[in-house]
Amino acid sequence: MEINGKKYKAVVIGGSAGSFSVVSKILSKMSPDFPLPVIVCMHRLKHVRSGLVEGLNLKSKIKVVEPCDKDKIEGNKVYLAPSNYHLFIEFDNTFSLSTESVHNHSRPAIDYTFSSAAYTYRDKVLGIILTGANKDGANGLKDIHDKNGTTIVQDPASCDIDTMTKAALNLFEPDYILTPEKIAEYLNQLAS
Amino acid sequence: MARFISKTVPTLSSFERGLGLGLKDVRELSAFMSDVLGIPYDHMPVSFFKRRLTNVFAKNNIRNVEHFKELLTSGDIKENIYHDFSVSITEMFRDPGFWRYLRSLLQNLSPGKTFTVWFPDASSGEEVFSFLILIAELNMLDRIKVICQHPSSRITEDIRKGILRNKNAEVNANNYIRIEGNGNFKDYYSLQDNIFVLNTYLLQNVETVTGHFLNTAINEPAGLIMFRNKMIYYDKEVSEKGIKTLTGKLSPGGLIAIGGKEKMPESTMSSFKCINEKERVFKKHGFDISWNNGN
């Protein structure tokens, strides 16, 4: 999977308040043949274990699943971090889960998923941070940036709450700042 | 496409960079720890191992890997490693749906039936104390023996004394409401120096064992094994070995509970029937214990 001469192994997306509709919009516009795994970490209520996957599957053209621990990561699937677990990507291309303490008041924490993606995939990962009301994800996205992965920050002007995106922008210069529509367009270039 | 020119601000180092360990270092160090301590640290997910090791280094003021190896060999920090490597459960009645389901199973047990419940990796008191409150409300405290096991003597001692060191009172109380308990959560504990202490009468049938469950198994068969969210900290090989070890100690017809996002290793499935897919409860074949809902 190559774009602008760069090969990718996965896309990771993080978001918090207001991000469900943004993720839903992006997935609805993505090509059904999108070949990479799309790993989504969204802040969610810990005691509500179902509903979110079903909601995303209503609009997504790619199958959305919640991974179990040790599941193999496959292309053309959207993986949603389960409620009340942190989600990590391991070197053997599997997921690992953890019930360690909350980070930035969150479990799943976006920083953890992003950082593990940076560590595992290095420059072959595309990280996207969306609307949200705390700073979780900013450091993780910077880890992707530091490993020469590609980074996209949702245009703060298009966010319901821009705390998360601005926190990222205060840390480093991302490759792109895009609206949700443009993010979907960009991703589809990967599939074309 | 738009590009953004930002100011450059120094950032926090990420957890992955914490100790500056590469994959080769992790493999060597985890194998060394396994040799010295007899616990399969070399079968833990790499990201998890690094996070916990970072935790151990920070809590014990360890300067570098050589310093760590020195302390480890001398035995000075053995107990600290057992303690600081383990993951506290962080909340009581985690997954309220599971606890409601477990209550429905216990309610249907034959009157007078006594049995043992084993927590082979009780990394903190939350899960154990939740269970004790559940059976207290079913008037089953005197019918169920509870055995809690962990390599750290500090952890088993805290459980024996009913102590919780995490301050998650609000989360615990809210989860208790979600399980629809029939009492008042505050009646089950007191605060001593701002520390949660479970009421003593709930602990009357609790025994603690210090040691890792792969090396030190209990001497009696268990009717229920609580092993939720423990396999996530080991690879497939040790998870499988762990479940086989536990299966050997589970009574025919006994139950084992695993985490909501864990899978039973395939090679062990011939010993079990899944009786609740969502709550991940499995029943060992046989009929010594009659779980009426789970036949």
Side-chain angles (χ1 to χ4, degrees):
Chain A
M1 180 57 31
E2 195 167 324
I3 184 168
N4 297 336
K6 196 164 183 175
K7 286 185 178 174
Y8 290 98
K9 289 187 174 174
V11 174
V12 288
I13 300 177
S16 182
S19 66
F20 175 83
S21 59
V22 178
V23 171
S24 190
K25 182 184 279 184
I26 291 170
L27 295 180
S28 72
K29 292 180 184 302
M30 281 174 67
S31 161
D33 303 321
F34 189 78
L36 296 176
V38 179
I39 300 159
V40 180
C41 183
M42 272 196 288
H43 292 169
R44 50 192 295 191
L45 295 172
K46 67 184 176 71
H47 57 275
V48 181
R49 288 185 284 169
S50 54
L52 210 52
V53 164
E54 293 81 355
L56 289 173
N57 267 321
L58 286 175
K59 296 219 171 151
S60 176
K61 293 174 183 165
I62 310 165
K63 188 175 173 57
V64 184
V65 296
E66 271 186 3
C68 281
D69 183 61
K70 300 179 181 58
D71 273 358
K72 201 149 188 65
I73 302 172
E74 296 171 347
N76 193 227
K77 264 191 191 168
V78 177
Y79 295 96
L80 178 68
S83 70
N84 220 1
Y85 287 95
H86 295 303
L87 178 72
F88 299 89
I89 295 146
E90 298 293 328
F91 281 112
D92 59 357
N93 204 37
T94 60
F95 288 110
S96 67
L97 299 175
S98 159
T99 57
E100 285 160 281
S101 299
V102 295
H103 171 76
N104 286 326
H105 310 288
S106 309
R107 189 169 55 204
I110 302 164
D111 272 343
Y112 284 175
T113 303
F114 278 9
S115 293
S116 70
Y119 192 69
T120 301
Y121 297 129
R122 303 182 75 84
D123 62 331
K124 296 180 176 58
V125 64
L126 196 163
I128 302 170
I129 197 153
L130 305 173
T131 174
N134 78 12
K135 294 180 179 177
D136 188 30
N139 280 310
L141 195 66
K142 184 175 184 302
D143 282 344
I144 293 174
H145 170 80
D146 289 347
K147 297 279 187 196
N148 296 318
T150 300
T151 52
I152 297 176
V153 173
Q154 183 184 350
D155 185 345
S158 69
C159 293
D160 279 359
I161 300 174
D162 61 11
T163 312
M164 200 174 265
T165 49
K166 282 187 170 168
L169 296 175
N170 277 330
L171 290 180
F172 68 100
E173 179 185 345
D175 294 292
Y176 303 101
I177 299 175
L178 302 173
T179 62
E181 292 78 8
K182 292 288 183 190
I183 292 171
E185 271 179 35
Y186 185 87
L187 291 174
N188 281 332
Q189 287 181 59
L190 293 172
S192 61
Chain B
M1 290 187 180
R3 287 190 70 84
F4 182 82
I5 308 300
S6 76
K7 54 187 175 178
T8 303
V9 178
T11 66
L12 298 170
S13 61
S14 83
F15 74 98
E16 292 290 4
R17 286 194 297 264
L19 299 174
L21 296 178
L23 192 56
K24 189 169 166 261
D25 302 319
V26 167
R27 288 192 174 134
E28 279 178 11
L29 196 53
S30 59
F32 181 71
M33 286 175 66
S34 302
D35 283 346
V36 175
L37 300 173
I39 289 176
Y41 293 104
D42 51 348
H43 286 271
M44 292 175 170
V46 171
S47 66
F48 173 74
F49 178 84
K50 288 179 74 173
R51 288 194 304 282
R52 299 320 289 176
L53 197 65
T54 304
N55 186 44
V56 169
F57 273 46
K59 283 191 170 176
N60 296 279
N61 298 317
I62 295 169
R63 296 187 299 274
N64 52 42
V65 170
E66 290 314 311
H67 183 209
F68 175 66
K69 282 185 174 176
E70 202 179 294
L71 291 171
L72 188 60
T73 312
S74 70
D76 289 350
I77 57 165
K78 208 175 197 177
E79 165 61 26
N80 288 8
I81 293 173
Y82 293 149
H83 184 276
D84 299 336
F85 231 92
S86 73
V87 177
S88 304
I89 294 160
T90 75
E91 62 189 275
M92 291 177 69
F93 302 107
R94 183 189 160 101
D95 307 326
F98 166 79
W99 293 98
R100 290 194 297 268
Y101 176 66
L102 184 58
R103 179 171 52 209
S104 74
L105 290 175
L106 291 164
Q107 275 170 335
N108 284 303
L109 269 180
S110 317
K113 181 78 190 172
T114 61
F115 66 102
T116 296
V117 176
W118 185 25
F119 291 77
D121 189 5
S123 52
S124 58
E126 284 83 350
E127 196 95 332
V128 181
F129 300 164
S130 303
F131 182 77
L132 294 172
I133 290 173
L134 196 77
I135 60 173
E137 295 190 352
L138 294 170
N139 294 317
M140 295 176 81
L141 275 174
D142 57 345
R143 290 169 53 191
I144 299 176
K145 179 177 171 183
V146 174
I147 301 178
C148 303
Q149 182 165 353
H150 194 273
S152 163
S153 56
R154 269 152 67 198
I155 288 174
T156 52
E157 186 68 2
D158 271 0
I159 292 174
R160 197 180 61 74
K161 292 177 176 171
I163 290 173
L164 280 189
R165 297 192 185 270
N166 281 325
K167 293 184 176 66
N168 286 328
E170 195 180 333
V171 174
N172 295 341
N174 286 336
N175 282 349
Y176 178 76
I177 290 168
R178 289 193 181 95
I179 71 151
E180 297 157 11
N182 58 22
N184 183 342
F185 181 63
K186 283 187 175 170
D187 292 341
Y188 293 113
Y189 69 95
S190 58
L191 286 176
Q192 297 175 18
D193 295 329
N194 213 22
I195 291 175
F196 175 109
V197 182
L198 196 72
N199 289 348
T200 316
Y201 77 92
L202 293 164
L203 297 157
Q204 60 185 271
N205 249 344
V206 175
E207 274 183 18
T208 55
V209 176
T210 303
H212 194 276
F213 69 93
L214 283 174
N215 308 325
T216 317
I218 59 171
N219 294 321
E220 56 200 281
L224 170 64
I225 296 178
M226 297 284 279
F227 199 57
R228 301 198 316 140
N229 297 315
K230 301 302 176 187
M231 284 189 282
I232 56 180
Y233 301 121
Y234 291 107
D235 65 11
K236 276 186 178 170
E237 187 183 330
V238 167
S239 296
E240 188 177 311
K241 188 177 171 191
I243 291 294
K244 283 181 176 166
T245 301
L246 303 185
T247 308
K249 286 292 170 186
L250 190 61
S251 301
L255 303 181
I256 182 165
I258 62 173
K261 285 292 169 186
E262 291 178 313
K263 286 179 180 168
M264 226 22 160
E266 258 177 50
S267 65
T268 64
M269 272 311 291
S270 57
S271 304
F272 296 100
K273 173 188 172 188
C274 180
I275 61 167
N276 189 314
E277 185 67 36
K278 187 179 177 194
E279 307 304 345
R280 312 302 289 151
V281 179
F282 295 81
K283 181 174 181 281
K284 186 176 172 180
H285 296 311
F287 298 99
D288 277 7
I289 292 185
S290 176
W291 298 89
N292 295 331
N293 284 13
N295 284 335

